[in-house]
Coordinates of all heavy atoms in Angstrom, one line a residue:
M1 N 0.8 -1.2 0.0 CA 0.0 0.0 0.0 C 0.9 1.2 0.0 O 1.7 1.4 0.8 CB -0.9 0.0 1.2 CG -1.9 1.0 1.3 SD -3.0 0.9 2.7 CE -3.6 -0.7 2.6
A2 N 0.7 2.1 -0.9 CA 1.5 3.3 -1.0 C 1.0 4.4 -0.2 O -0.2 4.6 -0.1 CB 1.6 3.7 -2.5
S3 N 1.9 5.1 0.5 CA 1.6 6.2 1.3 C 1.5 7.5 0.5 O 2.3 7.8 -0.2 CB 2.6 6.4 2.4 OG 2.4 7.5 3.2
P4 N 0.4 8.3 0.7 CA 0.2 9.5 0.0 C 1.1 10.6 0.6 O 1.1 11.7 0.1 CB -1.2 9.8 0.1 CG -1.7 9.2 1.3 CD -0.8 8.0 1.5
G5 N 1.8 10.4 1.6 CA 2.6 11.4 2.3 C 2.9 11.0 3.7 O 3.5 10.0 3.9
T6 N 2.4 11.8 4.6 CA 2.6 11.4 6.0 C 1.7 10.3 6.5 O 0.7 10.0 5.9 CB 2.4 12.7 6.9 OG1 1.0 13.0 6.9 CG2 3.2 13.9 6.5
L7 N 2.0 9.8 7.7 CA 1.2 8.8 8.3 C -0.2 9.3 8.5 O -1.2 8.6 8.3 CB 1.8 8.3 9.6 CG 1.0 7.3 10.4 CD1 0.8 6.0 9.6 CD2 1.8 6.9 11.7
L8 N -0.3 10.5 9.0 CA -1.6 11.2 9.2 C -2.4 11.2 7.9 O -3.6 10.9 7.9 CB -1.4 12.6 9.8 CG -2.6 13.4 10.0 CD1 -3.6 12.8 11.0 CD2 -2.3 14.8 10.4
E9 N -1.8 11.6 6.8 CA -2.5 11.7 5.5 C -3.0 10.3 5.1 O -4.1 10.1 4.6 CB -1.6 12.3 4.5 CG -1.4 13.8 4.7 CD -0.3 14.3 3.8 OE1 0.5 13.5 3.2 OE2 -0.2 15.6 3.6
W10 N -2.1 9.3 5.3 CA -2.5 7.9 5.0 C -3.7 7.5 5.8 O -4.7 6.9 5.2 CB -1.3 7.0 5.2 CG -1.7 5.5 4.9 CD1 -1.7 5.0 3.7 CD2 -2.0 4.5 5.9 NE1 -2.1 3.6 3.8 CE2 -2.2 3.3 5.2 CE3 -2.0 4.5 7.3 CZ2 -2.5 2.1 5.8 CZ3 -2.3 3.3 7.9 CH2 -2.6 2.1 7.2
I11 N -3.7 7.7 7.1 CA -4.9 7.3 7.9 C -6.1 8.1 7.5 O -7.2 7.5 7.4 CB -4.5 7.6 9.4 CG1 -3.4 6.6 9.8 CG2 -5.8 7.4 10.3 CD1 -2.8 6.8 11.2
E12 N -6.0 9.4 7.2 CA -7.2 10.1 6.8 C -7.7 9.7 5.5 O -8.9 9.9 5.2 CB -6.8 11.6 6.8 CG -6.7 12.2 8.2 CD -6.2 13.7 8.2 OE1 -5.7 14.2 7.2 OE2 -6.4 14.3 9.3
A13 N -6.9 9.1 4.6 CA -7.3 8.7 3.3 C -8.0 7.3 3.3 O -8.6 6.9 2.4 CB -6.1 8.7 2.3
L14 N -7.8 6.6 4.4 CA -8.4 5.2 4.5 C -9.9 5.2 4.2 O -10.4 4.4 3.4 CB -8.1 4.5 5.8 CG -6.7 4.1 6.0 CD1 -6.4 3.5 7.4 CD2 -6.3 3.0 5.0
P15 N -10.7 6.0 4.9 CA -12.2 6.0 4.6 C -12.5 6.3 3.1 O -13.5 5.7 2.6 CB -12.7 7.1 5.5 CG -11.8 7.2 6.6 CD -10.4 6.9 6.0
E16 N -11.7 7.1 2.5 CA -12.0 7.4 1.0 C -11.8 6.1 0.2 O -12.4 6.0 -0.9 CB -11.0 8.5 0.6 CG -11.3 9.8 1.2 CD -10.2 10.8 0.9 OE1 -9.3 10.6 0.0 OE2 -10.2 11.9 1.5
A17 N -11.0 5.2 0.7 CA -10.7 3.9 0.0 C -11.7 2.8 0.5 O -11.5 1.7 0.1 CB -9.3 3.5 0.2
G18 N -12.6 3.2 1.4 CA -13.6 2.2 1.9 C -13.1 1.4 3.1 O -13.6 0.4 3.4
R19 N -12.0 1.8 3.7 CA -11.4 1.1 4.8 C -11.5 2.0 6.1 O -11.2 3.2 6.1 CB -9.9 0.8 4.6 CG -9.6 -0.2 3.6 CD -8.2 -0.6 3.5 NE -7.6 -1.0 4.8 CZ -6.4 -1.1 5.1 NH1 -5.5 -0.7 4.3 NH2 -6.0 -1.5 6.3
Y20 N -11.9 1.3 7.2 CA -12.0 2.1 8.5 C -11.1 1.4 9.5 O -11.1 1.9 10.7 CB -13.5 2.1 8.9 CG -14.3 3.0 8.0 CD1 -15.0 2.5 6.9 CD2 -14.4 4.3 8.3 CE1 -15.7 3.3 6.1 CE2 -15.1 5.2 7.5 CZ -15.8 4.7 6.4 OH -16.5 5.5 5.5
V21 N -10.4 0.4 9.2 CA -9.5 -0.2 10.2 C -8.1 -0.4 9.7 O -7.9 -0.4 8.4 CB -10.1 -1.6 10.6 CG1 -11.4 -1.5 11.2 CG2 -10.0 -2.6 9.5
F22 N -7.2 -0.4 10.6 CA -5.8 -0.7 10.2 C -5.1 -1.2 11.4 O -5.6 -1.1 12.6 CB -5.1 0.6 9.7 CG -4.9 1.7 10.7 CD1 -3.8 1.9 11.4 CD2 -6.0 2.6 10.8 CE1 -3.7 2.9 12.3 CE2 -5.8 3.7 11.7 CZ -4.7 3.8 12.5
T23 N -4.0 -1.9 11.2 CA -3.2 -2.5 12.3 C -1.8 -1.8 12.4 O -1.4 -1.1 11.5 CB -3.0 -4.0 12.1 OG1 -2.2 -4.2 10.9 CG2 -4.3 -4.8 12.0
R24 N -1.2 -2.1 13.4 CA 0.2 -1.6 13.6 C 1.1 -2.1 12.5 O 1.9 -1.4 11.9 CB 0.8 -1.9 15.0 CG 2.2 -1.4 15.2 CD 2.2 0.1 15.1 NE 3.6 0.5 15.1 CZ 4.2 1.1 16.1 NH1 3.6 1.3 17.2 NH2 5.5 1.4 16.0
A25 N 0.9 -3.3 12.0 CA 1.6 -3.9 10.9 C 1.4 -3.1 9.7 O 2.3 -2.9 8.9 CB 1.3 -5.4 10.8
D26 N 0.2 -2.7 9.4 CA -0.1 -1.9 8.2 C 0.6 -0.6 8.3 O 1.2 -0.1 7.3 CB -1.6 -1.5 8.2 CG -2.5 -2.7 7.9 OD1 -2.1 -3.7 7.3 OD2 -3.7 -2.7 8.4
V27 N 0.7 0.0 9.5 CA 1.4 1.3 9.7 C 2.9 1.1 9.4 O 3.5 1.9 8.7 CB 1.2 1.9 11.1 CG1 2.1 3.0 11.4 CG2 -0.3 2.3 11.3
D28 N 3.4 0.0 9.9 CA 4.9 -0.2 9.7 C 5.2 -0.4 8.2 O 6.3 -0.1 7.8 CB 5.3 -1.4 10.5 CG 5.3 -1.2 12.0 OD1 5.3 0.0 12.4 OD2 5.2 -2.1 12.8
A29 N 4.2 -1.0 7.5 CA 4.4 -1.3 6.1 C 4.4 0.0 5.2 O 5.0 0.0 4.1 CB 3.4 -2.3 5.6
V30 N 3.7 1.1 5.7 CA 3.6 2.3 4.8 C 4.4 3.4 5.2 O 4.4 4.4 4.6 CB 2.1 2.7 4.8 CG1 1.2 1.7 4.2 CG2 1.6 3.2 6.1
T31 N 5.2 3.3 6.3 CA 6.0 4.4 6.7 C 7.4 3.9 7.2 O 7.5 2.8 7.7 CB 5.3 5.2 7.9 OG1 6.1 6.4 8.1 CG2 5.2 4.4 9.1
D32 N 8.3 4.8 7.1 CA 9.7 4.4 7.6 C 10.0 5.3 8.8 O 11.1 5.4 9.2 CB 10.7 4.6 6.5 CG 10.8 6.0 5.9 OD1 9.9 6.8 6.2 OD2 11.7 6.2 5.1
A33 N 9.0 5.9 9.4 CA 9.1 6.7 10.6 C 9.6 5.8 11.7 O 9.4 4.6 11.8 CB 7.8 7.4 10.9
S34 N 10.2 6.5 12.7 CA 10.7 5.8 13.9 C 9.5 5.3 14.7 O 8.4 5.8 14.6 CB 11.6 6.7 14.8 OG 10.8 7.7 15.3
A35 N 9.8 4.3 15.5 CA 8.7 3.7 16.4 C 8.2 4.8 17.3 O 6.9 4.9 17.6 CB 9.3 2.6 17.2
A36 N 9.0 5.7 17.8 CA 8.6 6.8 18.7 C 7.7 7.8 17.9 O 6.7 8.2 18.5 CB 9.8 7.5 19.3
A37 N 8.0 8.1 16.7 CA 7.2 9.0 15.9 C 5.8 8.4 15.6 O 4.8 9.1 15.6 CB 7.9 9.4 14.6
I38 N 5.8 7.1 15.3 CA 4.5 6.4 15.0 C 3.7 6.4 16.3 O 2.5 6.7 16.2 CB 4.8 5.0 14.5 CG1 5.4 5.0 13.1 CG2 3.5 4.1 14.5 CD1 5.9 3.6 12.7
K39 N 4.3 6.1 17.4 CA 3.6 6.0 18.7 C 2.9 7.4 19.0 O 1.8 7.5 19.4 CB 4.5 5.6 19.8 CG 3.8 5.3 21.1 CD 4.8 4.8 22.1 CE 4.1 4.6 23.5 NZ 5.1 4.0 24.5
M40 N 3.7 8.4 18.8 CA 3.2 9.8 19.1 C 2.1 10.2 18.1 O 1.1 10.8 18.6 CB 4.3 10.8 19.0 CG 3.9 12.2 19.4 SD 3.2 12.3 21.1 CE 4.5 11.9 22.1
T41 N 2.2 9.9 16.9 CA 1.1 10.2 15.9 C -0.2 9.5 16.3 O -1.2 10.1 16.3 CB 1.6 9.8 14.5 OG1 2.7 10.6 14.1 CG2 0.4 10.1 13.5
L42 N 0.0 8.2 16.6 CA -1.2 7.4 17.0 C -1.8 7.9 18.3 O -3.0 8.0 18.4 CB -0.9 5.9 17.1 CG -0.5 5.2 15.8 CD1 0.0 3.8 16.0 CD2 -1.6 5.3 14.8
Y43 N -1.0 8.3 19.2 CA -1.4 8.9 20.5 C -2.2 10.1 20.2 O -3.3 10.3 20.8 CB -0.3 9.1 21.4 CG -0.6 9.9 22.6 CD1 -1.3 9.3 23.7 CD2 -0.4 11.3 22.7 CE1 -1.6 10.1 24.8 CE2 -0.7 12.1 23.8 CZ -1.4 11.4 24.9 OH -1.7 12.2 26.0
R44 N -1.7 11.0 19.4 CA -2.4 12.3 19.1 C -3.7 12.1 18.4 O -4.7 12.7 18.7 CB -1.5 13.2 18.3 CG -0.3 13.8 19.0 CD 0.5 14.6 18.1 NE 1.6 15.2 18.8 CZ 2.8 15.3 18.3 NH1 3.1 15.0 17.1 NH2 3.8 15.8 19.1
L45 N -3.8 11.1 17.5 CA -5.0 10.8 16.8 C -6.0 10.2 17.8 O -7.2 10.5 17.7 CB -4.8 9.9 15.6 CG -4.0 10.5 14.5 CD1 -3.6 9.4 13.5 CD2 -4.9 11.5 13.8
K46 N -5.6 9.4 18.7 CA -6.5 8.8 19.7 C -7.0 9.9 20.6 O -8.2 9.9 20.9 CB -5.9 7.7 20.5 CG -5.7 6.4 19.8 CD -5.4 5.3 20.7 CE -3.9 5.1 20.9 NZ -3.5 4.0 21.7
K47 N -6.2 10.8 21.0 CA -6.6 11.8 22.0 C -7.6 12.8 21.3 O -8.5 13.3 22.0 CB -5.3 12.6 22.4 CG -5.6 13.6 23.5 CD -4.3 14.2 24.1 CE -4.7 15.2 25.2 NZ -3.6 15.5 26.0
S48 N -7.4 13.0 20.0 CA -8.3 13.9 19.3 C -9.6 13.3 18.9 O -10.6 13.9 18.5 CB -7.7 14.5 18.0 OG -7.6 13.5 17.0
G49 N -9.7 11.9 19.1 CA -10.9 11.2 18.7 C -11.0 10.8 17.3 O -12.0 10.2 16.8
A50 N -9.9 11.0 16.5 CA -9.9 10.6 15.1 C -9.8 9.1 14.9 O -10.2 8.6 13.9 CB -8.7 11.3 14.4
I51 N -9.2 8.4 15.9 CA -9.1 6.9 15.8 C -9.4 6.4 17.2 O -9.2 7.1 18.2 CB -7.7 6.4 15.4 CG1 -6.6 6.8 16.3 CG2 -7.4 6.8 13.9 CD1 -5.2 6.2 16.0
V52 N -9.8 5.1 17.3 CA -9.9 4.4 18.5 C -9.2 3.1 18.4 O -9.0 2.6 17.3 CB -11.4 4.2 19.0 CG1 -12.1 5.5 19.3 CG2 -12.2 3.4 17.9
S53 N -8.8 2.5 19.5 CA -8.1 1.3 19.5 C -8.8 0.3 20.5 O -8.5 0.2 21.6 CB -6.7 1.5 20.0 OG -6.0 0.2 19.9
P54 N -9.8 -0.5 19.9 CA -10.5 -1.4 20.8 C -9.7 -2.6 21.3 O -10.0 -3.2 22.2 CB -11.7 -1.9 19.9 CG -11.2 -1.7 18.5 CD -10.3 -0.5 18.5
K55 N -8.5 -2.8 20.6 CA -7.6 -3.9 21.0 C -6.2 -3.4 20.6 O -6.0 -2.7 19.6 CB -8.0 -5.2 20.3 CG -7.3 -6.4 20.8 CD -7.9 -6.7 22.2 CE -7.3 -8.1 22.6 NZ -7.6 -8.3 24.0
R56 N -5.2 -3.8 21.4 CA -3.8 -3.4 21.1 C -3.4 -3.7 19.7 O -3.7 -4.8 19.1 CB -2.9 -4.1 22.1 CG -1.5 -3.7 21.9 CD -0.6 -4.5 22.9 NE 0.8 -4.1 22.6 CZ 1.6 -3.7 23.6 NH1 1.2 -3.7 24.8 NH2 2.8 -3.3 23.3
D57 N -2.8 -2.7 19.0 CA -2.3 -2.8 17.7 C -3.4 -2.9 16.6 O -3.2 -3.2 15.5 CB -1.3 -3.9 17.5 CG -0.1 -3.7 18.3 OD1 0.3 -2.5 18.6 OD2 0.6 -4.7 18.6
F58 N -4.7 -2.6 17.0 CA -5.8 -2.6 16.0 C -6.5 -1.2 16.2 O -6.9 -0.9 17.3 CB -6.8 -3.7 16.3 CG -7.9 -3.8 15.4 CD1 -7.8 -4.5 14.2 CD2 -9.1 -3.2 15.6 CE1 -8.8 -4.6 13.3 CE2 -10.2 -3.3 14.7 CZ -10.0 -4.0 13.6
F59 N -6.7 -0.5 15.1 CA -7.2 0.8 15.2 C -8.4 1.0 14.2 O -8.5 0.4 13.2 CB -6.1 1.8 14.8 CG -4.9 1.7 15.6 CD1 -3.9 0.9 15.2 CD2 -4.8 2.4 16.8 CE1 -2.7 0.8 16.0 CE2 -3.7 2.3 17.6 CZ -2.6 1.5 17.2
V60 N -9.4 1.8 14.6 CA -10.5 2.1 13.8 C -10.6 3.6 13.6 O -10.5 4.4 14.5 CB -11.8 1.7 14.6 CG1 -13.1 2.1 13.7 CG2 -11.8 0.2 14.9
V61 N -10.7 4.0 12.3 CA -10.8 5.4 12.0 C -12.2 5.9 12.3 O -13.2 5.2 12.0 CB -10.5 5.6 10.5 CG1 -10.7 7.1 10.1 CG2 -9.1 5.1 10.1
V62 N -12.3 7.0 13.0 CA -13.6 7.6 13.4 C -13.9 8.8 12.5 O -13.3 9.8 12.7 CB -13.6 8.0 14.9 CG1 -15.0 8.5 15.3 CG2 -13.2 6.8 15.8
P63 N -14.9 8.6 11.6 CA -15.2 9.8 10.7 C -15.8 10.9 11.6 O -16.3 10.6 12.7 CB -16.3 9.2 9.8 CG -16.1 7.7 9.8 CD -15.6 7.4 11.2
R64 N -15.7 12.1 11.2 CA -16.1 13.3 11.9 C -17.6 13.1 12.4 O -17.9 13.5 13.6 CB -16.0 14.5 11.1 CG -14.6 14.9 10.9 CD -14.5 16.3 10.3 NE -13.1 16.6 9.9 CZ -12.2 17.0 10.7 NH1 -12.4 17.1 12.0 NH2 -10.9 17.2 10.3
E65 N -18.5 12.6 11.6 CA -19.9 12.5 12.0 C -20.1 11.5 13.2 O -21.2 11.5 13.8 CB -20.8 12.2 10.8 CG -20.5 10.8 10.1 CD -19.5 10.9 9.0 OE1 -18.7 11.9 8.9 OE2 -19.5 10.0 8.2
Y66 N -19.1 10.7 13.5 CA -19.2 9.7 14.6 C -18.4 10.0 15.8 O -18.4 9.3 16.8 CB -18.9 8.3 14.1 CG -19.9 7.7 13.2 CD1 -19.8 7.7 11.8 CD2 -21.1 7.2 13.6 CE1 -20.7 7.2 10.9 CE2 -22.1 6.7 12.8 CZ -21.9 6.7 11.4 OH -22.9 6.3 10.6
R67 N -17.7 11.1 15.7 CA -16.7 11.4 16.8 C -17.5 11.7 18.1 O -17.0 11.4 19.2 CB -15.8 12.6 16.5 CG -14.8 12.1 15.4 CD -13.7 13.0 15.2 NE -12.9 12.4 14.1 CZ -12.0 13.1 13.4 NH1 -11.8 14.3 13.7 NH2 -11.4 12.5 12.4
A68 N -18.7 12.3 18.1 CA -19.4 12.5 19.3 C -19.8 11.2 20.0 O -19.9 11.1 21.2 CB -20.7 13.4 19.0
A69 N -20.1 10.2 19.1 CA -20.4 8.9 19.7 C -19.2 8.1 20.1 O -19.3 7.2 20.9 CB -21.2 8.1 18.6
G70 N -18.0 8.5 19.6 CA -16.8 7.8 20.1 C -16.3 6.8 19.1 O -15.1 6.4 19.1
C71 N -17.1 6.2 18.2 CA -16.7 5.3 17.2 C -17.8 5.1 16.2 O -18.9 5.4 16.5 CB -16.3 3.9 17.9 SG -17.6 2.9 18.4
P72 N -17.4 4.6 15.0 CA -18.4 4.3 14.0 C -19.2 3.0 14.5 O -18.9 2.4 15.5 CB -17.6 4.0 12.8 CG -16.3 3.6 13.3 CD -16.1 4.3 14.6
P73 N -20.3 2.7 13.7 CA -21.0 1.5 14.1 C -20.1 0.2 14.1 O -19.2 0.1 13.3 CB -22.1 1.4 13.0 CG -22.2 2.7 12.4 CD -20.8 3.4 12.6
A74 N -20.4 -0.6 15.1 CA -19.6 -1.8 15.3 C -19.5 -2.7 14.1 O -18.6 -3.4 13.8 CB -20.1 -2.6 16.5
S75 N -20.6 -2.7 13.3 CA -20.7 -3.5 12.1 C -19.6 -3.1 11.1 O -19.3 -3.9 10.2 CB -22.1 -3.4 11.5 OG -22.4 -2.1 11.1
W76 N -19.1 -1.9 11.2 CA -18.0 -1.5 10.3 C -16.7 -2.2 10.6 O -15.8 -2.2 9.7 CB -17.8 0.0 10.4 CG -18.9 0.8 9.8 CD1 -20.2 0.4 9.4 CD2 -18.9 2.2 9.5 NE1 -20.9 1.4 9.0 CE2 -20.2 2.6 9.0 CE3 -17.9 3.2 9.7 CZ2 -20.5 3.9 8.7 CZ3 -18.3 4.5 9.3 CH2 -19.5 4.8 8.8
F77 N -16.5 -2.7 11.8 CA -15.1 -3.2 12.2 C -15.1 -4.5 12.9 O -14.0 -5.0 13.1 CB -14.4 -2.1 12.9 CG -14.9 -1.7 14.3 CD1 -14.6 -2.4 15.4 CD2 -15.8 -0.7 14.4 CE1 -15.1 -2.1 16.6 CE2 -16.3 -0.3 15.6 CZ -16.0 -1.0 16.7
V78 N -16.2 -5.0 13.4 CA -16.2 -6.3 14.2 C -15.6 -7.4 13.4 O -14.7 -8.2 14.0 CB -17.6 -6.6 14.7 CG1 -17.6 -8.0 15.3 CG2 -18.0 -5.6 15.8
D79 N -15.9 -7.6 12.1 CA -15.3 -8.7 11.4 C -13.8 -8.6 11.3 O -13.1 -9.6 11.5 CB -15.9 -8.7 9.9 CG -17.3 -9.2 9.9 OD1 -17.8 -9.9 10.8 OD2 -18.0 -8.9 8.9
D80 N -13.3 -7.4 11.0 CA -11.9 -7.2 10.9 C -11.2 -7.4 12.3 O -10.1 -8.0 12.3 CB -11.6 -5.8 10.4 CG -12.0 -5.6 9.0 OD1 -11.7 -6.5 8.1 OD2 -12.7 -4.6 8.7
L81 N -11.9 -7.0 13.3 CA -11.3 -7.1 14.7 C -11.1 -8.6 15.1 O -10.1 -9.0 15.5 CB -12.1 -6.4 15.7 CG -11.7 -6.6 17.2 CD1 -10.3 -6.1 17.4 CD2 -12.7 -5.8 18.1
L82 N -12.2 -9.3 14.8 CA -12.1 -10.8 15.2 C -11.2 -11.5 14.3 O -10.5 -12.5 14.7 CB -13.5 -11.4 15.2 CG -14.5 -10.8 16.3 CD1 -15.9 -11.4 16.1 CD2 -13.9 -11.1 17.6
R83 N -11.1 -11.1 13.0 CA -10.1 -11.7 12.1 C -8.7 -11.4 12.7 O -7.8 -12.3 12.7 CB -10.3 -11.2 10.7 CG -9.5 -12.0 9.7 CD -9.9 -11.6 8.3 NE -11.3 -11.5 8.0 CZ -12.0 -10.4 7.7 NH1 -11.4 -9.3 7.6 NH2 -13.3 -10.4 7.5
H84 N -8.5 -10.2 13.1 CA -7.2 -9.8 13.7 C -6.8 -10.6 14.9 O -5.7 -11.0 15.1 CB -7.2 -8.3 14.0 CG -6.0 -7.8 14.8 ND1 -4.8 -7.6 14.2 CD2 -5.9 -7.4 16.1 CE1 -4.0 -7.1 15.1 NE2 -4.6 -7.0 16.2
L85 N -7.8 -10.9 15.7 CA -7.6 -11.7 16.9 C -7.6 -13.2 16.6 O -7.2 -14.0 17.5 CB -8.8 -11.4 17.9 CG -8.9 -10.0 18.4 CD1 -10.1 -9.8 19.3 CD2 -7.6 -9.7 19.2
G86 N -7.9 -13.6 15.4 CA -7.9 -15.0 15.1 C -9.0 -15.8 15.7 O -8.9 -17.0 15.9
R87 N -10.1 -15.1 15.8 CA -11.3 -15.8 16.4 C -12.5 -15.9 15.4 O -12.6 -15.0 14.6 CB -11.8 -15.0 17.7 CG -10.8 -14.9 18.7 CD -11.4 -14.5 20.0 NE -10.4 -14.5 21.1 CZ -10.3 -13.7 22.1 NH1 -11.3 -12.8 22.2 NH2 -9.4 -13.8 23.0
R88 N -13.2 -16.9 15.6 CA -14.4 -17.1 14.8 C -15.6 -16.8 15.6 O -15.6 -16.9 16.8 CB -14.5 -18.6 14.3 CG -13.4 -18.9 13.3 CD -13.5 -20.4 13.0 NE -14.9 -20.8 12.7 CZ -15.3 -21.8 12.0 NH1 -14.4 -22.5 11.4 NH2 -16.6 -22.0 11.8
Y89 N -16.7 -16.3 15.0 CA -17.9 -16.1 15.7 C -19.1 -16.4 14.9 O -19.0 -16.6 13.7 CB -17.9 -14.6 16.2 CG -18.2 -13.6 15.2 CD1 -19.4 -13.0 15.0 CD2 -17.1 -13.2 14.3 CE1 -19.6 -12.0 14.1 CE2 -17.3 -12.2 13.4 CZ -18.6 -11.6 13.2 OH -18.8 -10.7 12.3

């Protein structure tokens, strides 16, 4: 997956591509930033409500219209989350 610029721009572009989830492995694949820089970017995005992390190393992009609720509908990410966890349901 090619990065359009910064990690922030890549994350903001995900919903435009129809994706609302990403993992830390995805982030590592699209950026050559240091681990500290990645951690700080993710921290800032979580603090601003732009992303949530229901499980370690798994992130959900929160569109602006869902930020007051705290996350998008669960149906948008539950399948991906359980696949990430290696669980069937």
Side-chain angles (χ1 to χ4, degrees):
M1 187 178 303
S3 174
T6 67
L7 178 57
L8 175 61
E9 291 169 343
W10 177 77
I11 291 170
E12 289 176 342
L14 287 174
E16 295 171 11
R19 288 186 58 199
Y20 290 91
V21 301
F22 63 95
T23 65
R24 178 59 191 257
D26 295 333
V27 170
D28 292 339
V30 298
T31 186
D32 57 354
S34 69
I38 292 170
K39 186 176 179 180
M40 185 55 67
T41 298
L42 294 174
Y43 170 78
R44 287 180 182 141
L45 288 169
K46 283 194 272 185
K47 189 171 179 163
S48 72
I51 63 172
V52 293
S53 181
K55 195 70 175 168
R56 184 181 177 128
D57 295 334
F58 183 86
F59 304 92
V60 179
V61 178
V62 182
R64 291 190 188 281
E65 61 269 21
Y66 289 100
R67 290 195 184 158
C71 73
S75 61
W76 289 13
F77 64 88
V78 168
D79 288 338
D80 294 311
L81 175 60
L82 292 176
R83 195 173 309 117
H84 173 73
L85 296 173
R87 295 197 179 149
R88 293 176 44 154
Y89 72 103

